[in-house]
Amino acid sequence: MDRPWTVKQPSLVQQCSQVQSKVTVGIALYCFTYDRWIGKLLYLEDFYVIQAYRGLGIGAEMLKKLSQIAIRSQCNCMHFLVVIWNQGSIDYCIHRGALDLSSEEGWHLFRFNRELMDMAKEE
């Protein structure tokens, strides 16, 4: 059975002369959701690798593991958001083969803030 929210924290074994220790260098927070046109999908809420460890293939390995989890869980795709000003992340995702749905399919992200939701409260 799928857990609604799962946190994966991959560790990197770092060798410093004679000492070996595990250090958390990245995080991926994801959940499973459903889209009526796509079916089941893995939604990647947060994805981060510490700056000092970027460029070592850790992010690629994390995405590989996430893809394996999605396939094992019978997901049809993975979705995630990248803020428009984070060009480095946008470039990384495109380099890895992700489709930018904002330009490919014209999707817009909307949110109902708490104030609007409060207006719908039952008295």
Side-chain angles (χ1 to χ4, degrees):
M1 183 171 184
D2 294 330
R3 289 172 273 160
W5 287 96
T6 306
V7 176
K8 295 289 181 182
Q9 294 181 322
S11 296
L12 171 70
V13 176
Q14 185 174 351
Q15 295 183 3
C16 299
S17 56
Q18 302 163 343
V19 180
Q20 285 190 6
S21 63
K22 290 187 177 184
V23 178
T24 299
V25 297
I27 185 170
L29 174 65
Y30 66 92
C31 67
F32 298 100
T33 187
Y34 187 84
D35 180 284
R36 66 181 179 170
W37 291 290
I38 298 170
K40 186 176 180 182
L41 58 96
L42 185 147
Y43 179 75
L44 184 56
E45 172 65 28
D46 201 1
F47 182 80
Y48 182 77
V49 175
I50 295 171
Q51 184 74 35
Y53 293 92
R54 294 180 188 169
L56 301 174
I58 295 167
E61 188 63 29
M62 290 170 63
L63 285 175
K64 180 180 175 183
K65 296 278 187 198
L66 289 166
S67 295
Q68 291 168 351
I69 291 166
I71 291 167
R72 256 194 336 267
S73 301
Q74 299 180 344
C75 294
N76 292 314
C77 68
M78 294 192 304
H79 275 188
F80 50 94
L81 299 172
V82 177
V83 68
I84 197 164
W85 53 259
N86 193 341
Q87 193 60 48
S89 291
I90 293 168
D91 293 344
Y92 180 82
C93 294
I94 291 171
H95 174 74
R96 293 279 167 211
L99 296 175
D100 182 355
L101 297 183
S102 56
S103 59
E104 293 287 327
E105 296 183 9
W107 288 96
H108 292 275
L109 173 66
F110 291 94
R111 172 179 62 202
F112 290 111
N113 284 329
R114 180 61 192 242
E115 296 81 23
L116 186 61
M117 294 184 320
D118 284 343
M119 291 174 30
K121 276 198 276 189
E122 294 185 42
E123 299 293 323

